[in-house]
DNA sequence: ATGAAAGCGCTAACAG
DNA sequence: CTGTTAGCGCTTTCAT
């Protein structure tokens, strides 16, 4: 071997001469593309960009390139996208779009593709994931409302085929019993999607039957915004008539009218951890499967007040 | 050749047998990766996700995969990212992060890499781009304020090394002369970045010297939000004391306090057009260079009122 | 028309 | 330790 210094000089000269090694060719040979796929359910949901960005930077710092894709919340597209990524031979996958039962995820596990779920997880518990503590989050929101004096609290949940939707709903039901709160079936409705319109629809169903609740706990900020809309449509004021809480503390919710009380999740850490764990799995496929659960923190703003 | 029907059947059987063709190997041979790079200045700016999404879908429908990357507004990273994409042999590039003088863009043009700029463009005018009509936008905002009765109108501009920042600023200066408005130098300050803090800083400089304007025209929604913050810090109310307008009509600005009067740009069309033009250039590299300029539309909301 | 062979740019294995 | 070669999976060219 020549000296390290010389070697570097040669490489540099080669670079300057216009040589760039072709990672495609290298990948063809080594079966390592140094590429990681990131799969999102919805790029336009502001929760994700910060997660993606921190993941991307972490990956990049280690010489990996991120390939992003957006499923638009559609199952078929999720499959297509991941198929495509597999055929492009990504070294691993970060999936933020997982459903509780997700055949696409199962396939990846079976094929041994390094995989980390972020934000949402699947029911089977032997897959790497970095998520937030949904149970804790709901408890924080609920006790905040109880502290303010609310007793009749409605719940607008997320889709039950996602881990977040399911866990938050279960937690709410369990806690409301523990605290001896009103527990009519109609006081907890799950939206079909994490979107504003779905949230609005859910709340409108509730307002049609029970108008006597003083607060609504929404499983997600977008749903909470839908609640804002529906309340406004009924001439109800938030928080004067009804308090509202969200989940995620996505960017800009502090500027809404009223500023949303919600649960903050450490988005940056989520992204960084997901990337790090994935790289670990890529380098040591047999290392134990890590699951990280980060604590949310309640951020009290103007959308909650005493009844 | 066998019949079309039979051929399809065979291909299908092969698929089912688990065969997937390897696009890397194909790309190595044909020098076509069917991959397109999309370069953003800032993923967390809500203007971009809708553009990206529509571009991605258009690309996808034609068998191309998008590789996203976020420069975090840093020049060095822009270079690194595009270098990386080049070495990964993307077939073309959609760049939303262009500066007015952008050596990275120049390099791509020189190397003959198919390229489309979106949202922002460069000063040299022989590169494909799909942007909005900045001059028209500023005129719409300004005449709206004039119609409301404002005469002393301040301007918070964007970075002058971007085409949008530069054009909007020039338009404002030109129009304010044409309309015979107050034209102190201090009444137009350009922020160093399209961020809330930069907007806030810019407005604070203006408030320190001239407190007598009744409206501020901001070159971008994020800057306008920064103005909201600074006004609030000074105990000034919007729109009662001072009206504010933005630019981009990014998602959620209609829910802010107050809802922002701003210019809507057709984001979806922007993304679709960029993708289509790029694909055209990829398939016919010698086709004439297209430049599309879309019309913005003013959306009047609660942040503007008579002085 | 069909089938064999060369080669894209790289790395890993193999002789020298 | 250095230099040579085979081959990753595909497409394209060239004989047959």
């Amino acid at each position: 071997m020549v000296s390290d210094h010389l070697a570097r000089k040669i490489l540099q000269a080669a670079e300057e001469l216009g040589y760039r090694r072709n990672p495609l060719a290298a990948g063809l040979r080594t079966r390592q593309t140094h590429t990681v796929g990131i799969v999102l359910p919805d790029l336009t949901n502001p929760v994700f960009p910060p997660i993606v960005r921190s993941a991307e930077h972490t990956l990049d710092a280690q010489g990996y390139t991120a390939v992003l894709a957006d499923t638009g919340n559609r199952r078929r597209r999720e499959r297509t996208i991941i198929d495509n990524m597999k055929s492009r031979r990504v070294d691993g996958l970060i999936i933020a779009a997982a459903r509780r039962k997700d055949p696409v995820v199962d396939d990846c596990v079976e094929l041994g593709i390094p995989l980390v779920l972020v934000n949402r997880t699947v029911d089977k518990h032997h897959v790497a994931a970095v998520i937030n503590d949904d149970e804790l989050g709901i408890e924080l929101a609920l006790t905040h409302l109880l502290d303010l004096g609310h007793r009749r609290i409605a719940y607008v949940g997320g889709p039950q085929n996602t881990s977040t939707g399911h866990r938050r709903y279960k937690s709410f039901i369990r806690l409301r019993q523990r605290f001896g709160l009103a527990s009519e079936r109609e006081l907890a409705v799950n939206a079909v999607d994490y979107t504003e319109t779905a949230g609005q629809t859910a709340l409108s169903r509730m307002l049609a039957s029970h108008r006597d609740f003083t607060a609504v706990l929404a499983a997600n900020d977008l749903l909470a915004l839908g609640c804002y809309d529906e309340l406004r449509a009924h001439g109800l004021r938030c928080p004067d008539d009804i308090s509202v809480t969200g989940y995620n503390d996505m960017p800009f919710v502090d500027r809404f009218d009223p500023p949303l009380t919600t649960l903050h999740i450490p988005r940056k850490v989520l992204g960084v951890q997901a990337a790090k764990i994935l790289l670990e799995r890529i380098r040591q496929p047999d290392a134990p499967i890590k699951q990280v659960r980060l604590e949310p923190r309640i951020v009290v703003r103007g959308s909650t007040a005493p009844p």
Side-chain angles (χ1 to χ4, degrees), chain A:
Chain A
M1 258 313 198
V2 289
S3 81
D4 223 37
H5 180 72
L6 181 61
R8 189 161 311 171
K9 258 198 134 172
I10 293 173
L11 247 3
Q12 198 178 330
E15 289 273 299
E16 275 163 22
L17 228 60
Y19 170 77
R20 343 229 61 175
R21 89 185 196 141
N22 183 339
L24 270 73
L28 184 60
R29 182 75 244 252
T30 60
R31 315 185 142 272
Q32 293 205 38
T33 55
H34 285 260
T35 286
V36 161
I38 301 184
V39 185
L40 301 176
D42 178 8
L43 228 200
T44 63
N45 180 338
V47 207
F48 295 113
I51 298 178
V52 169
R53 173 186 273 196
S54 56
E56 195 187 349
H57 286 194
T58 311
L59 255 16
D60 193 276
Q62 308 251 23
Y64 282 77
T65 299
V67 180
L68 258 76
D70 175 352
T71 68
N73 266 316
R74 284 175 323 203
R75 277 196 115 92
R76 183 148 9 129
R77 227 181 115 65
E78 184 191 350
R79 170 126 250 153
T80 317
I81 283 170
I82 293 186
D83 265 4
N84 185 283
M85 287 179 169
K86 284 196 291 207
S87 78
R88 291 213 128 81
R89 304 298 192 272
V90 294
D91 292 340
L93 244 23
I94 294 179
I95 300 181
R99 308 294 218 288
R100 281 170 56 207
K101 292 182 203 312
D102 199 316
V104 187
V105 169
D106 293 344
D107 287 357
C108 292
V109 172
E110 213 160 303
L111 290 169
I113 297 174
L115 175 71
V116 175
L117 305 177
V118 68
N119 193 43
R120 301 177 186 171
T121 185
V122 292
D123 283 351
K124 300 187 182 168
H125 51 274
H126 52 281
V127 28
V130 28
I131 55 175
N132 95 99
D133 187 337
D134 291 309
E135 287 75 17
L136 175 59
I138 295 300
E139 183 165 350
L140 289 171
L142 189 57
T143 54
H144 166 62
L145 290 173
L146 290 173
D147 287 350
L148 286 172
H150 294 277
R151 302 297 296 171
R152 287 193 67 81
I153 298 171
Y155 179 79
V156 171
Q160 294 302 296
N161 59 1
T162 63
S163 66
T164 51
H166 184 60
R167 290 178 183 196
R168 290 171 194 177
Y169 175 70
K170 273 195 344 199
S171 302
F172 176 78
I173 298 297
R174 187 169 353 101
L175 289 167
R176 120 178 137 174
Q177 275 193 322
R178 189 201 300 168
F179 291 121
L181 302 180
S183 61
E184 288 96 322
R185 255 190 150 282
E186 296 79 11
L187 229 46
V189 172
N190 289 310
V192 295
D193 243 331
Y194 278 128
T195 61
E196 290 152 272
T197 50
Q200 179 164 9
T201 309
L203 187 60
S204 93
R205 276 173 51 197
M206 240 155 16
L207 282 170
S209 53
H210 289 65
R211 298 195 55 127
D212 57 343
F213 50 86
T214 61
V216 22
L217 199 160
N220 160 293
D221 291 345
L222 258 18
L223 296 175
L225 291 185
C227 293
Y228 277 15
D229 295 338
E230 187 61 15
L231 291 179
R232 204 160 292 170
H234 284 258
L236 293 166
R237 295 181 52 101
C238 171
D240 312 83
D241 299 315
I242 293 189
S243 289
V244 174
T245 68
Y247 206 120
N248 278 352
D249 191 28
M250 65 182 204
F252 304 108
V253 292
D254 53 327
R255 330 190 68 114
F256 289 159
D257 180 20
L260 184 64
T261 294
T262 187
L263 293 152
H264 182 83
I265 59 178
R267 290 183 285 263
K268 214 172 152 181
V269 183
L270 228 61
V272 171
Q273 284 296 324
K276 284 195 173 164
I277 292 177
L278 182 64
L279 291 175
E280 266 178 51
R281 285 196 68 65
I282 289 175
R283 303 205 245 251
Q284 315 179 27
D286 301 323
I289 285 167
K290 275 197 187 166
Q291 307 210 123
V292 177
R293 207 163 60 161
L294 273 16
E295 292 202 353
R297 165 171 70 72
I298 189 155
V299 184
V300 177
R301 299 205 184 93
S303 67
T304 47

